[in-house]
């Protein structure tokens, strides 16, 4: 797995790409658990249940409290930006005043966590007690570390410490929980040094922060990017597209680091951070991706696997239908009309057990997907599903309103016009498809 630091799973919709990212993430982080479970005699449902539990345990849900988390899940979209992914300047309102600060994005946070060497097991508990104390008193008085200037500390609605110097026309300064934690854990000051230090020292002196030593550099971390091709990858990654290469990561002979544009701090990508992306080829082909991205990722194709439906039969009003045969014939026709990237994945059929579920799947998933594939050309949907699903509708020109100014001779040109429409689901005959 070490050679697959960056990998993308690609294929048509419904082939289990997102499902597979869970397997691969757990195999990277906890290979012993994964291989023992896969080789056990448990059923697929039991294996999946245990994998899901393990995945949720490893998922980072809160950057401040999930000390042991090792997986981040995100989805790219058209509005995703470098500022969301790496770092950017974001506004924050503190006591009706808007301030702007540099805020780390998803990837930068994960890389920082992957290189973290200390954590506080009781910081959140201690900070909560600090907040409760200050709120019960209304405010507390502290002094700046150098000039010993007095200032008051109160807590606002989002548990941020608001520091107010004891001078006329004083401005409020917000010291967030994250800023205090960064100071206590890493002895690093993000902003407002004169106020962050005394607040942090007050918490350390009055509460048990319960420090324990950890070394995240010995662990593996995984970033899962669902629908990676829906975002502008070159813009989102920016200069980091070079740093994610195996040879350019920290600890390697050709390791590189860059100075980030907003924070002006150096940044590198640790060699224990893995990236797993998924890509829907019905939206965009692999060839259309940025060349720099393609060179830095290993691509694994995931196509429909009808063998997973072997033996699955659904009883119909006029007999029965074999789901494997149904999927195979539909996909063969889609390949002829479009290409292999516009097939239908097996996962759409995996949970179908009854005729009602089959109808519901076609109504809510299969037909809307085909409409998207053919851009509303219902005639081609008819070539895939047959006459019982699609019918031709002839338009009657006599239905036009009276409008003498329009050339009557041209009305005749509309007589032979027709469109294709989806028949009511009560008339669908699934056996006619195959």
């Amino acid at each position: 797995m070490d050679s697959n630091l960056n990998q993308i799973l690609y294929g048509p919709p419904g082939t289990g790409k997102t499902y597979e990212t869970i397997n691969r993430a757990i195999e990277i982080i906890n290979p012993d658990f994964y291989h023992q479970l896969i080789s056990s005699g448990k059923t697929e449902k039991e294996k999946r249940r245990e994998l899901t539990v393990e995945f949720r345990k490893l998922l980072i849900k809160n950057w401040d409290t999930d000390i042991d988390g090792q997986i981040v899940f995100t989805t790219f979209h058209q509005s995703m930006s470098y500022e969301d992914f790496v770092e950017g300047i974001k506004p924050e309102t503190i006591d009706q005043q808007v301030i702007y600060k540099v805020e780390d994005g998803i990837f930068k946070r994960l890389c920082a966590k992957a290189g973290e060497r200390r954590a506080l097991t009781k910081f959140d508990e201690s900070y909560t007690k600090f907040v409760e104390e200050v709120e019960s008193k209304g405010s507390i008085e502290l002094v700046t570390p150098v000039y010993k200037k007095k200032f008051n500390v109160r807590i606002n609605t989002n548990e941020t410490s608001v520091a107010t110097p004891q001078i006329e026309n004083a401005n409020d300064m917000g010291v967030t929980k994250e800023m205090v934690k960064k100071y206590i854990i890493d002895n690093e000051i993000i902003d407002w040094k004169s106020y962050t230090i005394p607040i942090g020292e007050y918490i350390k002196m009055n509460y048990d922060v319960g420090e324990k030593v950890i070394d995240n550099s010995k662990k593996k971390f995984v970033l899962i990017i669902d629908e990676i091709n829906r975002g502008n990858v070159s813009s989102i990654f920016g200069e980091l597209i070079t740093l994610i290469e195996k040879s350019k990561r920290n600890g390697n002979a050709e390791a590189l680091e860059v100075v980030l544009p907003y924070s002006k701090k150096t940044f590198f990508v640790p060699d224990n951070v893995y990236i797993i992306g998924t890509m829907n080829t019905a939206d965009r082909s692999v060839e259309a991706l940025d060349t720099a991205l393609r060179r830095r990722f290993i691509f694994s194709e995931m196509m429909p696997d009808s063998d997973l439906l072997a033996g699955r039969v659904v009883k119909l009003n006029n007999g029965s239908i074999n789901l494997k045969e149904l999927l195979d014939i539909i996909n063969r026709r889609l390949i002829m009309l479009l290409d292999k990237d516009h097939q239908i994945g097996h996962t759409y059929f995996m949970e179908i057990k009854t005729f009602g579920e089959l109808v519901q799947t076609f109504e809510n998933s299969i037909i809307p997907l085909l409409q998207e594939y053919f851009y509303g050309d219902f005639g081609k949907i008819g070539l895939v599903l047959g006459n019982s699903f699609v019918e031709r509708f002839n338009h009657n020109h006599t239905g036009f309103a009276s409008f003498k100014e329009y050339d009557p001779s041209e009305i005749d040109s509309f007589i032979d016009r027709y469109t294709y429409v989806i028949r009511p689901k009560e008339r669908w005959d699934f056996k006619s498809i195959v």
Side-chain angles (χ1 to χ4, degrees):
M1 299 299 296
D2 288 338
S3 62
N4 299 341
L5 282 171
N6 311 316
Q7 52 185 305
I8 289 179
L9 313 178
Y10 70 97
T15 52
K17 297 180 290 297
T18 305
Y19 182 100
E20 178 64 15
T21 61
I22 295 178
N23 294 353
R24 298 202 180 193
I26 295 175
E27 186 180 10
I28 290 169
I29 293 172
N30 196 345
D32 292 339
F33 167 83
Y34 178 80
H35 291 295
Q36 287 176 9
L37 180 62
I38 295 302
S39 60
S40 69
K42 297 180 179 180
T43 66
E44 290 303 316
K45 281 191 174 182
E46 290 173 334
K47 292 177 184 178
R48 191 62 192 174
R49 189 180 303 114
E50 292 192 30
L51 284 170
T52 303
V53 170
E54 180 71 7
F55 178 78
R56 288 173 178 168
K57 184 176 73 175
L58 294 169
L59 193 64
I60 300 174
K61 306 176 189 68
N62 186 298
W63 290 104
D64 294 325
T65 60
D66 288 348
I67 295 175
D68 297 323
Q70 293 173 253
I71 300 174
V72 174
F73 186 98
T74 189
T75 302
F76 275 7
H77 48 81
Q78 292 178 342
S79 299
M80 192 78 168
S81 67
Y82 178 92
E83 287 74 16
D84 299 315
F85 192 65
V86 184
E87 68 170 16
I89 297 177
K90 300 293 179 69
E92 181 179 339
T93 302
I94 298 180
D95 293 329
Q96 298 181 343
Q97 289 186 338
V98 179
I99 63 171
Y100 295 88
K101 66 176 184 177
V102 176
E103 185 174 301
D104 294 342
I106 297 168
F107 188 60
K108 186 180 177 184
R109 282 175 177 261
L110 183 64
C111 289
K113 190 174 184 66
E116 193 175 48
R117 298 184 185 277
R118 289 197 298 159
L120 297 179
T121 57
K122 296 183 180 179
F123 173 80
D124 292 293
E125 179 184 336
S126 300
Y127 190 82
T128 298
K129 291 179 179 178
F130 165 72
V131 168
E132 291 172 351
E133 177 196 347
V134 176
E135 286 181 333
S136 66
K137 294 178 179 178
S139 68
I140 60 172
E141 182 180 270
L142 299 175
V143 296
T144 58
V146 178
Y147 296 106
K148 306 302 178 183
K149 300 288 187 180
K150 294 181 179 181
F151 66 95
N152 296 325
V153 178
R154 56 185 174 82
I155 304 297
N156 70 5
T157 54
N158 60 358
E159 294 193 344
T160 292
S161 299
V162 180
T164 307
Q166 293 184 4
I167 58 175
E168 292 185 12
N169 301 319
N171 292 321
D172 294 335
M173 272 69 74
V175 180
T176 65
K177 178 181 178 179
E178 181 184 356
M179 293 165 64
V180 177
K181 186 174 183 179
K182 196 73 175 174
Y183 169 72
I184 296 177
I185 295 176
D186 298 322
N187 199 30
E188 181 179 331
I189 300 168
I190 299 175
D191 203 354
W192 304 123
K193 178 179 180 180
S194 297
Y195 306 106
T196 302
I197 292 176
I199 293 173
E201 291 299 322
Y202 182 88
I203 293 174
K204 288 198 293 184
M205 183 173 61
N206 291 278
Y207 300 99
D208 177 17
V209 292
E211 182 177 308
K212 73 169 183 179
V213 177
I214 63 170
D215 187 358
N216 280 348
S217 64
K218 300 293 191 294
K219 299 180 180 179
K220 293 179 179 180
F221 293 79
V222 178
L223 171 63
I224 298 174
I225 306 174
D226 202 26
E227 305 282 2
I228 191 171
N229 55 309
R230 290 185 61 216
N232 186 337
V233 179
S234 299
S235 175
I236 294 171
F237 274 87
E239 67 274 34
L240 303 192
I241 197 70
T242 299
L243 301 189
I244 64 173
E245 281 189 60
K246 181 177 176 62
S247 61
K248 304 299 188 296
R249 295 195 180 211
N250 188 50
N252 292 287
E254 300 177 28
L256 292 177
E257 59 182 31
V258 299
V259 177
L260 295 177
Y262 294 102
S263 64
K264 308 302 180 185
K265 294 181 180 179
T266 58
F267 177 79
F268 59 83
V269 178
D271 60 1
N272 60 333
V273 172
Y274 292 72
I275 302 173
I276 304 175
T278 69
M279 177 176 167
N280 188 340
T281 50
D283 296 332
R284 189 179 184 188
S285 68
V286 173
E287 290 74 17
L289 288 178
D290 185 273
T291 305
L293 177 74
R294 296 209 308 267
R295 286 193 292 108
R296 289 171 171 86
F297 280 81
I298 292 174
F299 286 77
S300 300
E301 187 176 50
M302 295 188 65
M303 301 303 289
D305 185 1
S306 63
D307 288 340
L308 295 174
L309 301 172
R312 293 174 180 252
V313 177
V314 174
K315 293 182 179 180
L316 308 177
N317 296 329
N318 59 344
S320 62
I321 187 75
N322 185 299
L323 294 183
K324 180 183 184 305
E325 293 179 6
L326 180 63
L327 179 62
D328 282 339
I329 192 65
I330 288 175
N331 280 337
R332 282 200 295 270
R333 291 166 182 169
L334 289 174
I335 291 172
M336 293 174 64
L337 291 169
L338 295 169
D339 51 52
K340 69 182 182 68
D341 291 328
H342 286 80
Q343 298 181 69
I344 292 175
H346 54 270
T347 63
Y348 287 109
F349 294 81
M350 292 295 289
E351 301 301 322
I352 295 176
K353 296 182 178 64
T354 66
F355 174 67
E357 291 172 344
L358 180 62
V359 171
Q360 189 176 40
T361 298
F362 267 72
E363 181 181 21
N364 298 333
S365 301
I366 305 302
I367 290 179
L369 186 60
L370 294 177
Q371 289 174 328
E372 183 180 330
Y373 281 178
F374 295 115
Y375 301 100
D377 186 349
F378 285 19
K380 289 181 180 177
I381 298 177
L383 293 176
V384 175
L385 301 181
N387 287 323
S388 76
F389 285 81
V390 180
E391 65 179 339
R392 193 168 84 169
F393 177 76
N394 292 301
H395 296 279
N396 185 358
H397 76 285
T398 59
F400 292 135
S402 175
F403 185 59
K404 297 179 180 179
E405 284 75 8
Y406 196 86
D407 186 354
S409 63
E410 292 193 21
I411 295 179
D412 293 337
S413 64
F414 302 128
I415 294 176
D416 296 329
R417 285 195 176 184
Y418 58 85
T419 57
Y420 294 99
V421 296
I422 303 294
R423 291 180 184 270
K425 61 184 179 183
E426 292 78 16
R427 299 171 62 184
W428 292 350
D429 180 9
F430 289 92
K431 291 190 69 176
S432 68
I433 297 178
V434 298

